[in-house]
Amino acid sequence: DAGVIQSPRHEVTEMGQEVTLRCKPISGHDYLFWYRQTMMRGLELLIYFNNNVPIDDSGMPEDRFSAKMPNASFSTLKIQPSEPRDSAVYFCASSRGSGYTFGSGTRLTVV
Amino acid sequence: AQSVTQPDIHITVSEGASLELRCNYSYGATPYLFWYVQSPGQGLQLLLKYFSGDTLVQGIKGFEAEFKRSQSSFNLRKPSVHWSDAAEYFCAVGDMNSGGYQKVTFGIGTKLQVIP
């Protein structure tokens, strides 16, 4: 298995632009998680899905953030409009119930 | 609410020396506990996990951790550190109340530096 695949690896965008981060979980995993990692706040859970259904989005910072999982093999995290304080590394992880497998992350820089 | 404390932000050890990374958790019931490692520019990799049973858990790369309920601790150990162990280590606790152990809270991380 190729593991959890995230794209792009790096994204630099201007303030106000829309940003879409993508994630392909491991086949057969029924949980998918989006995390954000910053020096100041560490790893924060943004949202997670079970069987493609959002279960808990209480970590989504504000309405500018949205996440979808249209099928078992794909999820997106969208930020619109983006702001400099959104700069962070965003991780996707998937699980079948025994620990998480993380992707390599997307490093987002908003200038 | 569950929480994890990693009291050491940064630790430096000599190659070949033993290692212990501290982790304390706060949780109302029997927790699911994890240790992850993150190398620069990479995602987190699961080292080991504790759900129940034997309180001494063996993981990958020669790591082990011991669950001590009385101390609310889950410290990570390795008898002899290699230069390739330099990375950041995260302790995490799983929330069973949300229908399983799927909602995991991570500690702030401990950055390990290994010197020759």
Side-chain angles (χ1 to χ4, degrees):
Chain A
D1 200 317
V4 176
I5 300 173
Q6 290 187 248
S7 64
R9 285 299 307 272
H10 301 273
E11 176 81 40
V12 179
T13 190
E14 291 185 347
M15 182 174 62
Q17 295 298 306
E18 177 180 294
V19 175
T20 300
L21 311 181
R22 297 173 175 80
C23 175
K24 177 179 169 54
I26 290 175
S27 177
H29 282 192
D30 54 354
Y31 282 84
L32 183 138
F33 307 83
W34 283 100
Y35 279 87
R36 178 170 68 176
Q37 186 178 39
T38 61
M39 289 288 290
M40 293 299 295
R41 300 172 70 94
L43 271 165
E44 302 173 276
L45 176 64
L46 300 177
I47 185 171
Y48 78 96
F49 295 82
N50 178 216
N51 293 322
N52 314 337
V53 176
I55 303 300
D56 185 349
D57 65 354
S58 60
M60 297 286 260
E62 47 199 276
D63 292 345
R64 298 185 296 107
F65 285 70
S66 62
K68 294 182 180 179
M69 192 166 186
N71 57 61
S73 59
F74 185 65
S75 177
T76 60
L77 178 68
K78 186 176 293 187
I79 308 173
Q80 165 63 18
S82 58
E83 297 182 4
R85 59 194 169 116
D86 302 330
S87 298
V89 181
Y90 291 81
F91 287 103
C92 175
S94 68
S95 173
R96 201 178 156 184
S98 181
Y100 295 2
T101 301
F102 280 80
S104 296
T106 295
R107 181 174 294 277
L108 173 65
T109 303
V110 183
V111 298
Chain B
Q2 70 219 46
S3 66
V4 176
T5 301
Q6 293 182 249
D8 304 307
I9 301 298
H10 191 270
I11 281 185
T12 300
V13 300
S14 298
E15 190 168 14
S18 63
L19 172 70
E20 182 168 26
L21 302 182
R22 296 184 291 165
C23 172
N24 292 96
Y25 67 90
S26 174
Y27 188 69
T30 300
Y32 284 6
L33 295 162
F34 308 85
W35 274 99
Y36 286 83
V37 60
Q38 183 180 29
S39 298
Q42 299 298 314
L44 281 71
Q45 180 185 20
L46 181 65
L47 281 177
L48 48 79
K49 58 184 183 281
Y50 171 78
F51 291 164
S52 63
D54 192 346
T55 56
L56 185 62
V57 180
Q58 301 298 320
I60 62 172
K61 304 186 181 188
F63 286 92
E64 66 178 26
E66 186 171 12
F67 170 59
K68 293 185 177 180
R69 184 188 301 275
S70 61
Q71 299 176 19
S72 297
S73 69
F74 189 57
N75 295 348
L76 182 71
R77 301 193 295 249
K78 186 169 185 178
S80 177
V81 170
H82 188 262
W83 65 266
S84 60
D85 294 324
E88 192 157 16
Y89 292 80
F90 294 87
C91 183
V93 60
D95 179 3
M96 293 180 64
N97 290 335
S98 61
Y101 48 88
Q102 298 301 335
K103 188 173 180 180
V104 175
T105 300
F106 288 85
I108 199 70
T110 297
K111 193 163 289 187
L112 174 65
Q113 180 182 10
V114 181
I115 57 176

